[in-house]
Amino acid sequence: IEPVGLARDLGVRFVVTCRLLGVGPDARLGVHLIDGATGTQLWSDEATFAATAWGVAGRVAVARLARALQFEIIESGVA
């Protein structure tokens, strides 16, 4: 789904996309924060975890995104 169209349909400013790939015994998780108006990638992070620990990968990705958003909100003066 196109992030700009999704943001428009949902009435949101930002879209978070995730990609989880199995690579042998590992899983690679990629997370991207997209500006819903322009489609510009504002932030991204990627991490590799043991495939058996994908739940940990999700928690780590959420924590990293929360930290990045906090900094972004403070810098933009939105808070």
Side-chain angles (χ1 to χ4, degrees):
I1 298 176
E2 177 65 33
V4 173
L6 181 62
R8 182 183 58 247
D9 292 348
L10 296 176
V12 297
R13 291 179 55 190
F14 304 100
V15 175
V16 176
T17 63
C18 299
R19 180 184 66 225
L20 181 62
L21 300 172
V23 182
D26 296 325
R28 181 172 293 156
L29 177 68
V31 181
H32 308 274
L33 177 66
I34 309 295
D35 182 307
T38 65
T40 302
Q41 179 177 294
L42 302 174
W43 173 87
S44 69
D45 196 8
E46 190 169 286
T48 302
F49 296 88
T52 57
W54 67 269
V56 172
R59 288 191 296 278
V60 169
V62 168
R64 289 179 180 177
L65 177 58
R67 186 172 48 248
L69 285 176
Q70 181 180 7
F71 292 135
E72 189 69 28
I73 289 169
I74 289 169
E75 287 178 10
S76 68
V78 173

